[in-house]
Amino acid sequence: MNDMTPVTTLKDWETDQEVRWCPGCGDYAILKAVQRTLPMLGADPKNTVFVSGIGCSSRFPYYVESYGFHTIHGRAPAVATGIKLANPALDVWLVTGDGDGMSIGGNHTMHVLRRNLDCQILLFNNEIYGLTKGQYSPTSRVGTPSPTSPVGSVDRPASPCAFALGSGARFVARGYDVSKDLPEVLQAAYRHRGAAFVEIFQNCIVYNKDRFDDFTAKAVAADNQIQLRHGEPLLFAKETKGLALDLETLSLKVVDVADGDWQAAGVAVHNVRNRGLAHMLVEMPFGAFPMALGVIYDDPAPTFESAVVEERARLTAGKTADLARLLGKGQTWVVEDRHAQ
């Protein structure tokens, strides 16, 4: 931060609106994590915009004291793109859900990622349609019972992080609603210049309660999740296990670590610029492997809006704006009034 950076607190980012989610919803924890993180970033409410689509998560802009747009189903990336192109200096946050961003808005999510618009994309994943009363979503696990799958979903679930990598995302991360590490992930996303995609597992207390307890519950968290940090070995289970590269299959495998000697066990070191490793981490089948959390991939590239601004400057250099001349250019003609004689 410099002398011109505003100093804010949690209170500066809270609105006078009543926060209205179901009691116990994970969205409350995510909201507080974001509001606590924004002051750490030196963010300015007058320079910040939250954009959302449709869904429980999309109420988010009402509860952050900044500019905000509650847009239409799946189209938040299109609105966010327009905002960033109109004023590239703005900090743009995009809030969506697994239904909003991975179903009707899947194509828009793909394009904002491949274009690399400078924004933070927070995808709340509760593996269910919450706002429309509990139908299974694109990320619901096989066997999920719901009003639209009464005997259990047979769909193979989509992986938001794998989708993001496949779409060309240059930053991919994961967290969950009540994680103490979530602010650290949000800070990394903000520091990244370009489209920063963060999947946040979120507990839907009504329609998919405790869905993520298999890796978030205190009793199993150490064994069933791995916190990723650049330059550090891929260790979990209180550093008694690790992830190593299986050269025969070119995939990851779980190895035992004896006496803390992770190097002897062949444990790999996390490298956020290694795209191949990122793919392996997000595609690990949970159960046989831990859930990978933290910054998975972070390899910046030129942003979409910077390319557009440069193109505009190049094409308009030395020219004077003349709308009438522009409208009269090309295939135009005059309709004569034969009765004017």
Side-chain angles (χ1 to χ4, degrees):
M1 292 191 294
N2 55 47
D3 293 339
M4 301 298 293
T5 300
V7 178
T8 62
T9 66
L10 169 65
K11 293 292 183 184
D12 293 314
W13 294 94
E14 294 177 334
T15 69
D16 60 359
Q17 300 298 300
E18 178 188 358
V19 182
R20 300 181 65 182
W21 286 306
C22 300
C25 175
D27 287 354
Y28 286 97
I30 301 172
L31 174 63
K32 283 302 177 189
V34 172
Q35 289 172 328
R36 289 191 179 105
T37 301
L38 289 165
M40 302 177 194
L41 304 172
D44 184 350
K46 297 177 182 178
N47 201 49
T48 303
V49 187
F50 278 82
V51 186
S52 66
I54 295 296
C56 297
S57 63
S58 293
R59 298 185 63 81
F60 214 86
Y62 295 106
Y63 308 139
V64 182
E65 187 61 36
S66 68
Y67 292 105
F69 288 87
H70 188 175
T71 69
I72 57 178
H73 210 180
R75 273 65 177 181
V79 176
T81 300
I83 293 168
K84 196 69 180 181
L85 290 180
N87 188 351
L90 292 174
D91 289 337
V92 177
W93 295 75
L94 199 160
V95 180
T96 185
D98 48 305
D100 184 59
M102 293 295 295
S103 184
I104 190 171
N107 57 331
H108 291 276
T109 303
M110 177 186 73
H111 293 307
V112 77
L113 291 170
R114 71 169 180 83
R115 284 172 168 163
N116 200 32
L117 186 80
D118 185 22
C119 63
Q120 294 73 240
I121 304 163
L122 310 183
L123 186 141
F124 298 9
N125 182 8
N126 55 20
E127 296 188 4
I128 208 76
Y129 278 105
L131 187 67
T132 50
K133 306 301 181 279
Q135 302 92 336
Y136 78 94
S137 83
T139 60
S140 296
R141 304 178 199 187
V142 173
T144 298
S146 79
T148 48
S149 56
V151 295
S153 168
V154 297
D155 281 8
R156 289 182 57 198
S159 165
C161 286
F163 174 88
L165 285 169
S167 298
R170 308 295 301 195
F171 180 101
V172 176
R174 269 202 197 120
Y176 61 94
D177 46 16
V178 296
S179 171
K180 63 181 177 60
D181 297 303
L182 183 56
E184 180 181 336
V185 171
L186 296 174
Q187 290 177 62
Y190 183 84
R191 290 192 298 266
H192 177 88
R193 296 277 67 84
F197 182 87
V198 183
E199 177 186 13
I200 305 175
F201 296 111
Q202 177 258 324
N203 186 30
C204 177
I205 197 74
V206 176
Y207 298 112
N208 213 14
K209 188 174 183 290
D210 301 331
R211 173 77 279 184
F212 306 109
D213 273 6
D214 49 9
F215 66 88
T216 64
K218 289 183 179 179
V220 300
D223 292 333
N224 291 349
Q225 62 179 249
I226 181 169
Q227 292 291 337
L228 307 173
R229 287 184 173 83
H230 180 66
E232 295 186 11
L234 297 172
L235 296 169
F236 65 103
K238 298 180 180 178
E239 301 189 356
T240 62
K241 295 182 181 294
L243 301 177
L245 181 63
D246 187 329
L247 295 178
E248 290 187 8
T249 61
L250 291 180
S251 61
L252 293 173
K253 62 181 179 181
V254 175
V255 295
D256 293 319
V257 177
D259 302 320
D261 193 351
W262 59 269
Q263 291 171 310
V267 174
V269 173
H270 186 44
N271 181 353
V272 294
R273 292 181 180 269
N274 188 326
R275 192 174 188 86
L277 176 60
H279 276 284
M280 286 187 265
L281 288 168
V282 302
E283 292 170 0
M284 293 188 303
F286 179 71
F289 289 86
M291 179 63 68
L293 301 169
V295 178
I296 298 166
Y297 184 61
D298 184 359
D299 190 15
T303 64
F304 178 65
E305 73 281 358
S306 64
V308 172
V309 169
E310 186 279 329
E311 181 184 63
R312 286 174 180 169
R314 176 170 50 82
L315 295 177
T316 58
K319 297 179 181 179
T320 302
D322 188 337
L323 181 60
R325 183 182 177 189
L326 177 64
L327 293 175
K329 187 177 181 180
Q331 294 182 346
T332 61
W333 60 92
V334 176
V335 178
E336 300 286 349
D337 184 354
R338 291 181 296 174
H339 301 289
Q341 306 287 338

